[in-house]
Short mmCIF file of all heavy atoms in Angstrom, two decimals:
data_model
loop_
_atom_site.label_atom_id
_atom_site.label_comp_id
_atom_site.label_asym_id
_atom_site.label_seq_id
_atom_site.Cartn_x
_atom_site.Cartn_y
_atom_site.Cartn_z
N ASN A 5 178.69 85.61 21.69
CA ASN A 5 178.99 84.33 22.34
C ASN A 5 180.46 84.33 22.75
O ASN A 5 181.33 84.20 21.92
CB ASN A 5 178.68 83.19 21.38
CG ASN A 5 178.82 81.83 22.05
OD1 ASN A 5 178.88 81.75 23.27
ND2 ASN A 5 178.88 80.79 21.26
N LYS A 6 180.71 84.52 24.03
CA LYS A 6 182.08 84.60 24.51
C LYS A 6 182.51 83.29 25.14
O LYS A 6 181.71 82.59 25.74
CB LYS A 6 182.23 85.72 25.53
CG LYS A 6 181.98 87.07 24.91
CD LYS A 6 182.35 88.18 25.83
CE LYS A 6 181.95 89.48 25.16
NZ LYS A 6 182.78 90.57 25.46
N LEU A 7 183.78 82.98 25.02
CA LEU A 7 184.33 81.77 25.60
C LEU A 7 185.55 82.15 26.42
O LEU A 7 186.46 82.80 25.91
CB LEU A 7 184.73 80.79 24.49
CG LEU A 7 185.36 79.50 24.99
CD1 LEU A 7 184.30 78.62 25.64
CD2 LEU A 7 186.03 78.76 23.87
N GLU A 8 185.54 81.77 27.68
CA GLU A 8 186.68 82.02 28.53
C GLU A 8 187.59 80.80 28.54
O GLU A 8 187.12 79.68 28.62
CB GLU A 8 186.22 82.37 29.95
CG GLU A 8 185.41 83.65 29.99
CD GLU A 8 184.99 84.06 31.38
OE1 GLU A 8 184.94 83.18 32.28
OE2 GLU A 8 184.71 85.25 31.57
N VAL A 9 188.89 81.05 28.43
CA VAL A 9 189.88 79.97 28.44
C VAL A 9 190.60 80.03 29.79
O VAL A 9 191.23 81.05 30.11
CB VAL A 9 190.89 80.14 27.29
CG1 VAL A 9 191.94 79.02 27.33
CG2 VAL A 9 190.17 80.16 25.95
N GLY A 10 190.49 78.95 30.56
CA GLY A 10 191.13 78.91 31.88
C GLY A 10 192.26 77.89 31.91
O GLY A 10 192.39 77.06 31.02
N ALA A 11 193.06 77.99 32.96
CA ALA A 11 194.17 77.05 33.14
C ALA A 11 193.62 75.72 33.65
O ALA A 11 192.92 75.68 34.65
CB ALA A 11 195.17 77.62 34.13
N SER A 12 193.94 74.64 32.95
CA SER A 12 193.50 73.31 33.38
C SER A 12 194.40 72.76 34.49
O SER A 12 194.01 71.87 35.22
CB SER A 12 193.47 72.36 32.19
OG SER A 12 194.73 72.34 31.55
N ILE A 13 195.61 73.32 34.57
CA ILE A 13 196.59 72.88 35.57
C ILE A 13 197.34 74.11 36.09
O ILE A 13 197.43 75.11 35.38
CB ILE A 13 197.62 71.89 34.96
CG1 ILE A 13 198.28 72.50 33.73
CG2 ILE A 13 196.99 70.54 34.67
CD1 ILE A 13 199.47 71.75 33.19
N PRO A 14 197.90 74.03 37.31
CA PRO A 14 198.76 75.13 37.76
C PRO A 14 200.12 74.98 37.10
O PRO A 14 200.57 73.87 36.84
CB PRO A 14 198.84 74.90 39.27
CG PRO A 14 198.61 73.43 39.45
CD PRO A 14 197.72 73.00 38.32
N GLY A 15 200.76 76.09 36.79
CA GLY A 15 202.08 76.02 36.18
C GLY A 15 202.54 77.38 35.71
O GLY A 15 202.04 78.41 36.15
N THR A 16 203.50 77.37 34.79
CA THR A 16 204.09 78.59 34.25
C THR A 16 203.76 78.68 32.77
O THR A 16 203.91 77.71 32.02
CB THR A 16 205.63 78.55 34.41
OG1 THR A 16 205.93 78.35 35.79
CG2 THR A 16 206.27 79.85 33.94
N ILE A 17 203.32 79.86 32.34
CA ILE A 17 203.07 80.10 30.91
C ILE A 17 204.43 80.18 30.22
O ILE A 17 205.23 81.05 30.55
CB ILE A 17 202.30 81.43 30.70
CG1 ILE A 17 201.00 81.46 31.51
CG2 ILE A 17 202.05 81.66 29.20
CD1 ILE A 17 199.98 80.42 31.15
N ILE A 18 204.70 79.27 29.29
CA ILE A 18 206.00 79.34 28.61
C ILE A 18 205.89 79.89 27.19
O ILE A 18 206.85 80.44 26.68
CB ILE A 18 206.76 78.00 28.63
CG1 ILE A 18 205.95 76.87 28.05
CG2 ILE A 18 207.20 77.67 30.04
CD1 ILE A 18 206.77 75.60 27.87
N LYS A 19 204.71 79.79 26.57
CA LYS A 19 204.53 80.35 25.23
C LYS A 19 203.09 80.80 25.07
O LYS A 19 202.17 80.06 25.39
CB LYS A 19 204.82 79.31 24.15
CG LYS A 19 206.27 79.04 23.89
CD LYS A 19 206.43 78.18 22.64
CE LYS A 19 207.87 77.77 22.49
NZ LYS A 19 208.09 76.36 22.34
N VAL A 20 202.91 82.01 24.55
CA VAL A 20 201.59 82.49 24.13
C VAL A 20 201.65 82.47 22.60
O VAL A 20 202.49 83.11 22.00
CB VAL A 20 201.30 83.90 24.66
CG1 VAL A 20 199.95 84.39 24.15
CG2 VAL A 20 201.31 83.91 26.19
N LEU A 21 200.77 81.67 21.99
CA LEU A 21 200.87 81.40 20.55
C LEU A 21 199.93 82.24 19.70
O LEU A 21 199.98 82.16 18.48
CB LEU A 21 200.58 79.91 20.30
CG LEU A 21 201.50 78.95 21.08
CD1 LEU A 21 200.98 77.52 20.99
CD2 LEU A 21 202.92 79.03 20.57
N VAL A 22 199.07 83.04 20.34
CA VAL A 22 198.10 83.85 19.60
C VAL A 22 198.13 85.29 20.11
O VAL A 22 198.62 85.56 21.19
CB VAL A 22 196.66 83.28 19.72
CG1 VAL A 22 196.56 81.91 19.08
CG2 VAL A 22 196.21 83.24 21.16
N ASN A 23 197.60 86.19 19.30
CA ASN A 23 197.52 87.61 19.65
C ASN A 23 196.07 88.05 19.69
O ASN A 23 195.21 87.43 19.05
CB ASN A 23 198.26 88.46 18.61
CG ASN A 23 199.74 88.14 18.55
OD1 ASN A 23 200.42 88.18 19.56
ND2 ASN A 23 200.23 87.82 17.37
N GLU A 24 195.80 89.15 20.39
CA GLU A 24 194.45 89.70 20.41
C GLU A 24 194.04 90.06 18.98
O GLU A 24 194.84 90.56 18.20
CB GLU A 24 194.40 90.93 21.32
CG GLU A 24 194.55 90.52 22.78
CD GLU A 24 194.50 91.69 23.76
OE1 GLU A 24 194.22 92.82 23.34
OE2 GLU A 24 194.75 91.44 24.95
N GLY A 25 192.79 89.73 18.65
CA GLY A 25 192.27 90.01 17.32
C GLY A 25 192.50 88.88 16.32
O GLY A 25 191.98 88.90 15.22
N GLN A 26 193.29 87.88 16.72
CA GLN A 26 193.60 86.77 15.82
C GLN A 26 192.45 85.78 15.75
O GLN A 26 191.83 85.45 16.75
CB GLN A 26 194.87 86.07 16.32
CG GLN A 26 195.35 84.93 15.43
CD GLN A 26 196.67 84.36 15.91
OE1 GLN A 26 197.46 85.04 16.56
NE2 GLN A 26 196.91 83.10 15.61
N GLU A 27 192.16 85.29 14.54
CA GLU A 27 191.15 84.24 14.34
C GLU A 27 191.78 82.90 14.71
O GLU A 27 192.93 82.64 14.34
CB GLU A 27 190.71 84.18 12.88
CG GLU A 27 190.02 85.44 12.38
CD GLU A 27 188.57 85.54 12.81
OE1 GLU A 27 187.93 84.49 12.99
OE2 GLU A 27 188.10 86.66 12.98
N VAL A 28 191.04 82.07 15.44
CA VAL A 28 191.53 80.73 15.78
C VAL A 28 190.48 79.69 15.41
O VAL A 28 189.29 80.00 15.39
CB VAL A 28 191.90 80.60 17.28
CG1 VAL A 28 193.08 81.50 17.63
CG2 VAL A 28 190.73 80.89 18.19
N LYS A 29 190.95 78.50 15.12
CA LYS A 29 190.05 77.40 14.79
C LYS A 29 189.95 76.46 15.98
O LYS A 29 190.88 76.37 16.78
CB LYS A 29 190.58 76.63 13.58
CG LYS A 29 190.55 77.44 12.29
CD LYS A 29 191.00 76.59 11.12
CE LYS A 29 190.84 77.31 9.80
NZ LYS A 29 191.52 78.58 9.72
N GLU A 30 188.85 75.74 16.08
CA GLU A 30 188.68 74.75 17.13
C GLU A 30 189.85 73.77 17.10
O GLU A 30 190.24 73.30 16.04
CB GLU A 30 187.36 74.00 16.90
CG GLU A 30 187.06 72.98 17.98
CD GLU A 30 185.71 72.30 17.77
OE1 GLU A 30 184.89 72.81 16.99
OE2 GLU A 30 185.50 71.26 18.40
N GLY A 31 190.44 73.52 18.27
CA GLY A 31 191.56 72.59 18.37
C GLY A 31 192.92 73.23 18.19
O GLY A 31 193.95 72.60 18.41
N GLU A 32 192.95 74.51 17.79
CA GLU A 32 194.23 75.21 17.59
C GLU A 32 194.86 75.52 18.95
O GLU A 32 194.17 75.90 19.90
CB GLU A 32 193.97 76.51 16.82
CG GLU A 32 195.22 77.26 16.42
CD GLU A 32 194.92 78.45 15.51
OE1 GLU A 32 193.89 78.44 14.81
OE2 GLU A 32 195.73 79.38 15.53
N SER A 33 196.19 75.38 19.04
CA SER A 33 196.89 75.69 20.29
C SER A 33 196.90 77.19 20.53
O SER A 33 197.21 77.98 19.63
CB SER A 33 198.33 75.19 20.23
OG SER A 33 198.35 73.78 20.22
N LEU A 34 196.55 77.59 21.77
CA LEU A 34 196.52 79.00 22.15
C LEU A 34 197.75 79.38 22.96
O LEU A 34 198.29 80.46 22.81
CB LEU A 34 195.26 79.29 22.98
CG LEU A 34 193.92 78.95 22.33
CD1 LEU A 34 192.80 79.14 23.33
CD2 LEU A 34 193.70 79.81 21.10
N LEU A 35 198.17 78.48 23.84
CA LEU A 35 199.32 78.74 24.69
C LEU A 35 199.83 77.43 25.26
O LEU A 35 199.19 76.39 25.13
CB LEU A 35 198.95 79.71 25.82
CG LEU A 35 197.76 79.33 26.70
CD1 LEU A 35 198.24 78.81 28.04
CD2 LEU A 35 196.89 80.55 26.91
N VAL A 36 201.02 77.51 25.86
CA VAL A 36 201.65 76.31 26.44
C VAL A 36 201.96 76.61 27.91
O VAL A 36 202.54 77.64 28.24
CB VAL A 36 202.95 75.94 25.70
CG1 VAL A 36 203.57 74.67 26.29
CG2 VAL A 36 202.69 75.76 24.20
N ILE A 37 201.53 75.70 28.78
CA ILE A 37 201.81 75.78 30.22
C ILE A 37 202.79 74.67 30.56
O ILE A 37 202.64 73.54 30.11
CB ILE A 37 200.53 75.60 31.06
CG1 ILE A 37 199.57 76.76 30.84
CG2 ILE A 37 200.86 75.48 32.55
CD1 ILE A 37 198.26 76.63 31.61
N GLU A 38 203.79 75.00 31.38
CA GLU A 38 204.72 73.97 31.86
C GLU A 38 204.42 73.72 33.34
O GLU A 38 204.30 74.66 34.13
CB GLU A 38 206.16 74.44 31.72
CG GLU A 38 207.15 73.37 32.17
CD GLU A 38 208.59 73.82 32.04
OE1 GLU A 38 208.87 74.98 32.37
OE2 GLU A 38 209.41 73.01 31.62
N ALA A 39 204.25 72.45 33.67
CA ALA A 39 204.02 72.06 35.06
C ALA A 39 204.78 70.76 35.31
O ALA A 39 204.66 69.82 34.54
CB ALA A 39 202.53 71.84 35.30
N MET A 40 205.56 70.74 36.34
CA MET A 40 206.33 69.55 36.70
C MET A 40 207.14 69.02 35.50
O MET A 40 207.11 67.84 35.18
CB MET A 40 205.41 68.46 37.28
CG MET A 40 204.70 68.91 38.54
SD MET A 40 203.54 67.68 39.19
CE MET A 40 202.33 67.62 37.89
N LYS A 41 207.80 69.92 34.81
CA LYS A 41 208.69 69.61 33.67
C LYS A 41 207.95 69.05 32.46
O LYS A 41 208.56 68.53 31.53
CB LYS A 41 209.79 68.62 34.08
CG LYS A 41 210.60 69.07 35.28
CD LYS A 41 211.83 69.82 34.83
CE LYS A 41 212.75 70.10 36.00
NZ LYS A 41 212.76 71.46 36.42
N MET A 42 206.60 69.14 32.46
CA MET A 42 205.83 68.68 31.31
C MET A 42 205.11 69.86 30.69
O MET A 42 204.56 70.70 31.41
CB MET A 42 204.81 67.61 31.72
CG MET A 42 205.48 66.35 32.24
SD MET A 42 204.40 64.92 32.35
CE MET A 42 203.36 65.04 30.95
N GLU A 43 205.12 69.91 29.36
CA GLU A 43 204.45 70.99 28.66
C GLU A 43 203.04 70.55 28.25
O GLU A 43 202.85 69.44 27.77
CB GLU A 43 205.24 71.40 27.41
CG GLU A 43 206.57 72.03 27.76
CD GLU A 43 207.35 72.48 26.54
OE1 GLU A 43 206.82 72.40 25.41
OE2 GLU A 43 208.50 72.91 26.72
N THR A 44 202.07 71.41 28.48
CA THR A 44 200.68 71.14 28.13
C THR A 44 200.17 72.24 27.21
O THR A 44 200.26 73.42 27.55
CB THR A 44 199.80 71.09 29.40
OG1 THR A 44 200.31 70.08 30.26
CG2 THR A 44 198.35 70.79 29.05
N ASN A 45 199.67 71.85 26.04
CA ASN A 45 199.06 72.81 25.13
C ASN A 45 197.63 73.07 25.57
O ASN A 45 196.89 72.14 25.86
CB ASN A 45 199.01 72.24 23.69
CG ASN A 45 200.30 72.45 22.95
OD1 ASN A 45 200.79 73.56 22.83
ND2 ASN A 45 200.87 71.36 22.46
N ILE A 46 197.26 74.35 25.63
CA ILE A 46 195.87 74.73 25.87
C ILE A 46 195.30 75.08 24.50
O ILE A 46 195.85 75.93 23.80
CB ILE A 46 195.77 75.95 26.83
CG1 ILE A 46 196.52 75.68 28.14
CG2 ILE A 46 194.31 76.32 27.07
CD1 ILE A 46 195.97 74.56 28.99
N VAL A 47 194.22 74.39 24.11
CA VAL A 47 193.68 74.57 22.77
C VAL A 47 192.30 75.23 22.82
O VAL A 47 191.61 75.19 23.83
CB VAL A 47 193.60 73.22 22.01
CG1 VAL A 47 194.97 72.58 21.88
CG2 VAL A 47 192.62 72.27 22.68
N ALA A 48 191.94 75.82 21.69
CA ALA A 48 190.62 76.46 21.57
C ALA A 48 189.54 75.39 21.53
O ALA A 48 189.62 74.44 20.75
CB ALA A 48 190.57 77.31 20.31
N ALA A 49 188.52 75.53 22.39
CA ALA A 49 187.41 74.58 22.42
C ALA A 49 186.45 74.83 21.27
O ALA A 49 185.65 73.97 20.92
CB ALA A 49 186.67 74.70 23.75
N THR A 50 186.54 76.01 20.68
CA THR A 50 185.67 76.39 19.58
C THR A 50 186.39 77.41 18.71
O THR A 50 187.35 78.02 19.16
CB THR A 50 184.34 76.97 20.11
OG1 THR A 50 183.47 77.21 19.03
CG2 THR A 50 184.55 78.25 20.89
N SER A 51 185.95 77.58 17.49
CA SER A 51 186.54 78.59 16.62
C SER A 51 186.06 79.97 17.05
O SER A 51 184.96 80.11 17.60
CB SER A 51 186.14 78.33 15.16
OG SER A 51 186.63 77.08 14.74
N GLY A 52 186.87 80.99 16.81
CA GLY A 52 186.48 82.34 17.17
C GLY A 52 187.63 83.31 16.99
O GLY A 52 188.60 83.02 16.30
N THR A 53 187.50 84.46 17.63
CA THR A 53 188.51 85.51 17.59
C THR A 53 189.03 85.73 19.00
O THR A 53 188.24 85.78 19.94
CB THR A 53 187.91 86.83 17.06
OG1 THR A 53 187.33 86.59 15.79
CG2 THR A 53 188.96 87.92 16.94
N VAL A 54 190.35 85.87 19.15
CA VAL A 54 190.93 86.14 20.46
C VAL A 54 190.56 87.58 20.84
O VAL A 54 190.94 88.53 20.17
CB VAL A 54 192.47 85.97 20.44
CG1 VAL A 54 193.06 86.30 21.80
CG2 VAL A 54 192.84 84.55 20.02
N GLU A 55 189.76 87.71 21.90
CA GLU A 55 189.31 89.04 22.34
C GLU A 55 190.33 89.68 23.28
O GLU A 55 190.66 90.84 23.14
CB GLU A 55 187.96 88.92 23.04
CG GLU A 55 187.41 90.27 23.47
CD GLU A 55 186.05 90.17 24.13
OE1 GLU A 55 185.79 89.17 24.84
OE2 GLU A 55 185.26 91.08 23.93
N SER A 56 190.83 88.89 24.24
CA SER A 56 191.83 89.44 25.16
C SER A 56 192.73 88.32 25.67
O SER A 56 192.30 87.21 25.89
CB SER A 56 191.16 90.16 26.33
OG SER A 56 190.26 89.31 26.99
N VAL A 57 194.02 88.67 25.80
CA VAL A 57 195.02 87.76 26.38
C VAL A 57 195.36 88.35 27.75
O VAL A 57 195.81 89.49 27.85
CB VAL A 57 196.28 87.68 25.49
CG1 VAL A 57 197.34 86.80 26.15
CG2 VAL A 57 195.93 87.14 24.11
N LEU A 58 195.08 87.59 28.82
CA LEU A 58 195.18 88.13 30.18
C LEU A 58 196.45 87.71 30.91
O LEU A 58 196.63 88.04 32.07
CB LEU A 58 193.94 87.68 30.97
CG LEU A 58 192.61 88.02 30.28
CD1 LEU A 58 191.46 87.32 30.98
CD2 LEU A 58 192.38 89.52 30.24
N ILE A 59 197.32 86.97 30.23
CA ILE A 59 198.54 86.48 30.86
C ILE A 59 199.72 86.82 29.96
O ILE A 59 199.56 87.24 28.82
CB ILE A 59 198.47 84.94 31.11
CG1 ILE A 59 197.84 84.19 29.93
CG2 ILE A 59 197.67 84.64 32.36
CD1 ILE A 59 198.69 83.95 28.76
N LYS A 60 200.93 86.62 30.48
CA LYS A 60 202.13 86.81 29.66
C LYS A 60 203.10 85.66 29.92
O LYS A 60 202.98 84.96 30.92
CB LYS A 60 202.78 88.16 29.93
CG LYS A 60 203.22 88.38 31.36
CD LYS A 60 203.68 89.82 31.55
CE LYS A 60 204.22 90.07 32.92
NZ LYS A 60 203.27 89.94 34.01
N GLU A 61 204.04 85.50 29.00
CA GLU A 61 205.02 84.42 29.15
C GLU A 61 205.82 84.61 30.43
O GLU A 61 206.17 85.73 30.79
CB GLU A 61 205.93 84.38 27.91
CG GLU A 61 205.17 83.94 26.68
CD GLU A 61 206.00 83.88 25.41
OE1 GLU A 61 207.22 84.07 25.47
OE2 GLU A 61 205.39 83.65 24.35
N GLY A 62 206.04 83.50 31.13
CA GLY A 62 206.79 83.54 32.38
C GLY A 62 205.90 83.66 33.60
O GLY A 62 206.36 83.50 34.73
N GLN A 63 204.62 83.95 33.39
CA GLN A 63 203.69 84.14 34.51
C GLN A 63 203.27 82.80 35.10
O GLN A 63 203.04 81.84 34.40
CB GLN A 63 202.46 84.90 33.99
CG GLN A 63 201.46 85.24 35.07
CD GLN A 63 200.32 86.10 34.53
OE1 GLN A 63 200.50 86.86 33.59
NE2 GLN A 63 199.15 85.97 35.13
N GLN A 64 203.16 82.77 36.44
CA GLN A 64 202.65 81.60 37.16
C GLN A 64 201.12 81.69 37.18
O GLN A 64 200.58 82.77 37.42
CB GLN A 64 203.15 81.59 38.61
CG GLN A 64 204.66 81.49 38.75
CD GLN A 64 205.16 80.08 38.56
OE1 GLN A 64 204.51 79.12 38.92
NE2 GLN A 64 206.34 79.96 37.98
N VAL A 65 200.45 80.57 36.93
CA VAL A 65 198.98 80.57 36.98
C VAL A 65 198.50 79.43 37.88
O VAL A 65 199.19 78.44 38.07
CB VAL A 65 198.36 80.44 35.57
CG1 VAL A 65 198.69 81.66 34.73
CG2 VAL A 65 198.79 79.16 34.87
N LYS A 66 197.29 79.61 38.40
CA LYS A 66 196.66 78.59 39.23
C LYS A 66 195.60 77.87 38.40
O LYS A 66 195.08 78.43 37.42
CB LYS A 66 195.98 79.23 40.44
CG LYS A 66 196.88 80.01 41.36
CD LYS A 66 196.04 80.49 42.55
CE LYS A 66 196.54 81.71 43.23
NZ LYS A 66 196.52 82.95 42.48
N THR A 67 195.21 76.69 38.83
CA THR A 67 194.12 75.96 38.17
C THR A 67 192.87 76.82 38.16
O THR A 67 192.50 77.39 39.19
CB THR A 67 193.83 74.63 38.89
OG1 THR A 67 195.02 73.86 38.92
CG2 THR A 67 192.74 73.84 38.20
N GLY A 68 192.24 76.93 37.00
CA GLY A 68 191.01 77.68 36.87
C GLY A 68 191.20 79.17 36.61
O GLY A 68 190.25 79.88 36.33
N GLU A 69 192.44 79.64 36.67
CA GLU A 69 192.70 81.07 36.42
C GLU A 69 192.35 81.41 34.97
O GLU A 69 192.66 80.65 34.05
CB GLU A 69 194.17 81.38 36.71
CG GLU A 69 194.49 82.85 36.67
CD GLU A 69 195.88 83.19 37.23
OE1 GLU A 69 196.39 82.43 38.07
OE2 GLU A 69 196.45 84.19 36.79
N LEU A 70 191.74 82.56 34.77
CA LEU A 70 191.34 83.00 33.43
C LEU A 70 192.57 83.43 32.65
O LEU A 70 193.36 84.27 33.11
CB LEU A 70 190.34 84.15 33.55
CG LEU A 70 189.72 84.64 32.25
CD1 LEU A 70 188.97 83.52 31.54
CD2 LEU A 70 188.77 85.79 32.54
N LEU A 71 192.78 82.83 31.48
CA LEU A 71 193.96 83.10 30.67
C LEU A 71 193.68 84.01 29.48
O LEU A 71 194.45 84.88 29.15
CB LEU A 71 194.56 81.78 30.15
CG LEU A 71 194.86 80.72 31.21
CD1 LEU A 71 195.35 79.45 30.56
CD2 LEU A 71 195.87 81.25 32.22
N MET A 72 192.57 83.74 28.79
CA MET A 72 192.19 84.57 27.65
C MET A 72 190.72 84.41 27.37
O MET A 72 190.07 83.50 27.87
CB MET A 72 193.05 84.30 26.41
CG MET A 72 193.02 82.90 25.86
SD MET A 72 194.09 82.71 24.39
CE MET A 72 195.73 83.02 25.05
N LYS A 73 190.20 85.33 26.57
CA LYS A 73 188.80 85.30 26.18
C LYS A 73 188.72 85.27 24.67
O LYS A 73 189.45 85.99 23.97
CB LYS A 73 188.05 86.54 26.69
CG LYS A 73 187.91 86.58 28.19
CD LYS A 73 187.13 87.81 28.61
CE LYS A 73 187.03 87.89 30.13
NZ LYS A 73 186.33 89.11 30.55
N LEU A 74 187.80 84.44 24.17
CA LEU A 74 187.52 84.37 22.73
C LEU A 74 186.10 84.89 22.52
O LEU A 74 185.28 84.85 23.41
CB LEU A 74 187.60 82.92 22.23
CG LEU A 74 188.88 82.15 22.47
CD1 LEU A 74 188.76 80.75 21.90
CD2 LEU A 74 190.07 82.85 21.88
N LYS A 75 185.84 85.34 21.30
CA LYS A 75 184.46 85.74 20.98
C LYS A 75 184.10 85.22 19.61
O LYS A 75 184.96 84.82 18.84
CB LYS A 75 184.27 87.25 21.04
CG LYS A 75 185.15 88.03 20.08
CD LYS A 75 184.93 89.51 20.23
CE LYS A 75 185.91 90.24 19.31
NZ LYS A 75 185.89 91.66 19.43
#
């Protein structure tokens, strides 16, 4: 059961808070996006393991862009 985590807003990745292979709980912050001087936490919709992190800090992302995958 895989879960893809996408960008809810366009902006810049300012912090990646998890690593590949890390266990996460539902509601846990995965990364922080900054858009228009506001920081938005992207949280895990479900508990699981971080399978892949597809972005890095400082990267610009678009709405809907795939950021990471959980399993």
Side-chain angles (χ1 to χ4, degrees):
N5 187 15
K6 296 190 184 212
L7 178 72
E8 296 183 337
V9 179
S12 55
I13 54 169
T16 304
I17 305 297
I18 56 171
K19 282 190 188 127
V20 177
L21 304 169
V22 296
N23 297 306
E24 291 180 7
Q26 183 175 334
E27 296 281 330
V28 295
K29 293 184 174 56
E30 183 177 344
E32 186 173 335
S33 292
L34 303 174
L35 54 104
V36 182
I37 294 179
E38 182 181 41
M40 299 177 294
K41 306 267 188 253
M42 296 195 38
E43 293 182 5
T44 301
N45 277 304
I46 305 296
V47 300
T50 185
S51 298
T53 304
V54 178
E55 183 179 34
S56 56
V57 176
L58 306 169
I59 41 79
K60 60 187 184 295
E61 292 180 6
Q63 184 175 331
Q64 298 281 325
V65 295
K66 300 184 206 65
T67 302
E69 188 169 334
L70 186 59
L71 306 176
M72 60 180 64
K73 292 181 182 177
L74 304 180
K75 61 181 176 184

